[in-house]
Amino acid sequence: MKKKVYIGLASDIINEAHINLFKKANKIGKLTVGLFSDKAVTEYKKLLNLSYEKRYNLISSIKYIDNIIKQNEYDYSKNLNLLKPDFVIHGNKWRGLNGLSIRKKIIQTLKKWNGKLIEVNYDHDADQKNYDIEKNILTPDNRISKLRRLMKSKDIVRVLESHNSLTGLIIEKMAINKKNKLKEFDCMWSSSLTDSATKGKPDNQSVDYSSRIRTLNDMLDVTTKPLIFDADNGGQIEHLSYLVKSLERTGVSSIIMEDKIGLKMNSLFSNQSGAKQDTPNTFAKKIKKVCKIRRSKDFLVIARIESFILGKGLKDALKRAKIYSKAGADAILIHSKEKTPKEIFQFSKMFRKTKYSIPLVAVPSTYSKVYEKDLIKNGFKIVIYANHLLRAAYPAMEFVGKKILQNSRSFEIENKIIPIKKIINLIENE
Ligand code: SPV
Ligand code: MG
């Protein structure tokens, strides 16, 4: 009987090295490719630029591959136990923070039926080429679709505020290993509060959309992760189509609009007496408009409800959520400035029972004790840490400035700041 060979594939580029590998595997026996789902990929590295379906199409015409199945976890065990291949072929570089433990598990699993792991030499040149090509296939469309794909493949999409390219790079590159799984921020949040504060202006729309979009361009230039744009109330309905067009062209994945009118005021101010909420039906028109004018269905419109911020209560919030969902919103951000998530959890409990239920977004700035697992349990699909990088940077900069003044030199703070070399290495020289 023909031997069975298995190769796990988590790439959106097929190069010569891959083809040679498939060819070799096909000579040994019947080749099954376990194509990694988005979920499996994000367990150990960043989401790929191409969706599972696009990657499936890409490899389905390769004649050396006899069979393609989905591998839904980085851990190979499930598919290996199902298929019992004689051989697994893999490059001799094991990526990801837990790559080596995955390798060990493959060897152990294969042992059960005398199967073997074959490791082939890793091709550095091909890998570098892949990296270069990968950058080029990051079209705005590919980036736009990443948020929806993440919502499908993750328990919760973790979003962190970014106000410039450097914070974008921090979000792009930071990852930790927790319980043998990769943990990272999936997406950037372009916050009106921190973008304005970075420019020394109040969060009242004095920084106009042109300036906001310039910041977006800077961030998107050097990153590959998706971005959600805080559009305040979206501005005039007559101007929305120009805004949406610019956002889609730059590769932004989502617009969040809040249902407030008049001079904009940040929602975390305790005194909201000057702030007014739009009528639900007028605001719904803005949602409908975005749905109509967006080019990509993957460009998500998220409606932000300010009822709790303005003391209007649960009933008003639920009434609005239903109207906004009916108007075509892809998700609801239910905002709150309470110390606990009690009111947003009450909201989600009721809302999720209705036929208008759509994914929920939380911004736990004031109720920061809440764990992500509790947000997940209560039906939240996106969590936005809305201002934290700026809040971290500001006191650090003040501290250093003061210390230089006090000491009349900078030596004392050398061990509190990163070496210049590290900053240089942070930035890729293309
Ligand atoms: C922002 O980050 O700009 C937001 C969230 O809109 S909040 O500051 O809570 O209004
Ligand atoms: Mg804002």
Side-chain angles (χ1 to χ4, degrees), residues 189 191-193 203 230 232 258 264 266 304:
W189 163 244
S191 149
S192 66
L193 172 65
D203 184 16
D230 170 7
D232 298 320
E258 61 192 55
K264 194 242 149 111
N266 183 274
R304 165 169 159 178

Side-chain angles (χ1 to χ4, degrees), residues 160 165-175 185 389 426:
L160 183 59
S165 301
L166 201 57
T167 49
L169 278 176
I170 289 174
I171 295 168
E172 179 80 10
K173 293 183 177 178
M174 180 187 298
F185 292 100
L389 288 186
L426 195 70

Side-chain angles (χ1 to χ4, degrees), residues 6 10 34 88 143 191 207 236 252 301 384 386 395:
Y6 186 85
V88 169
R143 191 190 312 235
S191 149
V207 176
Q236 301 259 96
V252 170
V301 48
I384 302 178

Side-chain angles (χ1 to χ4, degrees), residues 351-363:
F351 182 57
R352 284 193 300 148
K353 281 188 201 142
T354 72
K355 65 175 179 182
Y356 301 102
S357 176
I358 46 177
L360 294 175
V361 183
V363 182

Side-chain angles (χ1 to χ4, degrees), residues 64-120:
Y64 306 115
I65 300 175
D66 297 295
N67 190 23
I68 305 170
I69 60 171
K70 187 184 258 188
Q71 181 165 330
N72 209 24
E73 292 160 345
Y74 186 19
D75 185 342
Y76 282 53
S77 312
K78 209 165 166 188
N79 278 4
L80 296 188
N81 281 319
L82 202 75
L83 227 75
K84 302 202 169 35
D86 300 283
F87 301 105
V88 169
I89 304 187
H90 194 285
N92 62 357
K93 183 171 171 184
W94 292 82
R95 282 177 193 279
L97 300 159
N98 56 338
L100 286 178
S101 66
I102 295 285
R103 174 182 184 270
K104 208 164 139 197
K105 211 156 169 203
I106 293 175
I107 296 172
Q108 278 168 355
T109 311
L110 287 170
K111 235 186 206 159
K112 289 197 264 178
W113 52 86
N114 239 345
K116 294 263 170 321
L117 171 68
I118 302 173
E119 287 174 286
V120 293

Side-chain angles (χ1 to χ4, degrees), residues 287-377:
I287 298 168
K288 280 189 195 148
K289 176 105 187 203
V290 178
C291 291
K292 196 169 150 217
I293 55 188
R294 63 182 166 190
R295 268 193 333 105
S296 165
K297 281 269 173 293
D298 288 333
F299 178 81
L300 306 181
V301 48
I302 301 179
R304 165 169 159 178
I305 297 176
E306 293 281 298
S307 303
F308 289 141
I309 299 291
L310 301 173
K312 295 262 192 73
L314 182 60
K315 219 168 132 206
D316 183 75
L318 285 166
K319 182 181 93 182
R320 287 171 177 273
K322 178 180 149 185
I323 295 170
Y324 302 163
S325 169
K326 252 171 89 177
D330 296 289
I332 297 282
L333 189 171
I334 181 71
H335 205 14
S336 165
K337 54 180 168 59
E338 289 299 307
K339 290 267 182 307
T340 75
K342 201 168 146 214
E343 65 184 9
I344 65 157
F345 285 176
Q346 276 168 347
F347 171 88
S348 76
K349 198 169 161 204
M350 303 290 285
F351 182 57
R352 284 193 300 148
K353 281 188 201 142
T354 72
K355 65 175 179 182
Y356 301 102
S357 176
I358 46 177
L360 294 175
V361 183
V363 182
S365 297
T366 53
Y367 49 97
S368 59
K369 278 191 183 155
V370 72
Y371 283 108
E372 288 167 3
K373 67 175 174 13
D374 293 316
L375 291 172
I376 295 167
K377 233 196 274 162

